[in-house]
């Protein structure tokens, strides 16, 4: 089972769950809205590897930022994330 570490705390990912669902289930405050990859409110950044391209749709300069609502935790190729983006990228 994969896990995600955010701000020093590690959380297990359930099968078929998105990164956003994992974080919200664990009571991590992540801004969100549409939950369909449209509003970009849930943008967070991987501190490890590049996130899946499919979770970066609509982002111009990705810099390892991705949309947590459309990134399935099981497909993620990273472990550590920041929940506070430096700013909107587009
Ligand atoms: S909640 Fe709107 S893009 Fe993720």
């Amino acid at each position: 089972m994969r896990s995600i570490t955010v701000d020093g705390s590690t959380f297990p990912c359930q099968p078929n769950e998105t990164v956003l669902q994992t974080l919200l289930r664990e009571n991590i405050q992540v801004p969100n809205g549409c939950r369909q990859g449209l509003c970009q409110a849930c943008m967070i950044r991987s501190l490890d590897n590049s996130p899946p391209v499919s979770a970066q749709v609509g982002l111009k300069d990705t810099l390892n930022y991705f949309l947590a609502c459309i990134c399935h935790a099981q497909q993620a190729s990273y472990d550590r994330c920041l929940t506070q983006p430096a700013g909107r990228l587009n």
Side-chain angles (χ1 to χ4, degrees):
M1 178 179 296
R2 285 201 58 84
S3 61
I4 296 175
T5 300
V6 176
D7 300 332
S9 297
T10 300
F11 309 104
C13 306
Q14 299 300 317
N16 300 319
E17 178 173 71
T18 66
V19 171
L20 180 63
Q21 290 170 324
T22 297
L23 297 178
L24 294 178
R25 178 174 46 75
E26 296 290 344
N27 296 316
I28 303 300
Q29 298 298 314
V30 179
N32 66 91
C34 69
R35 299 188 183 188
Q36 297 178 19
L38 301 174
C39 72
Q40 300 185 1
C42 65
M43 185 171 57
I44 62 176
R45 184 165 65 99
S46 168
L47 297 179
D48 291 335
N49 300 316
S50 297
V53 172
S54 61
Q56 297 177 310
V57 173
L59 303 180
K60 289 183 180 176
D61 298 316
T62 56
L63 301 173
N64 283 358
Y65 284 93
F66 65 98
L67 302 175
C69 72
I70 57 172
C71 184
H72 286 275
Q74 296 298 326
Q75 74 175 155
S77 59
Y78 51 84
D79 293 316
R80 297 180 305 133
C81 298
L82 282 179
T83 57
Q84 300 299 319
R88 307 219 27 118
L89 297 177
N90 61 357

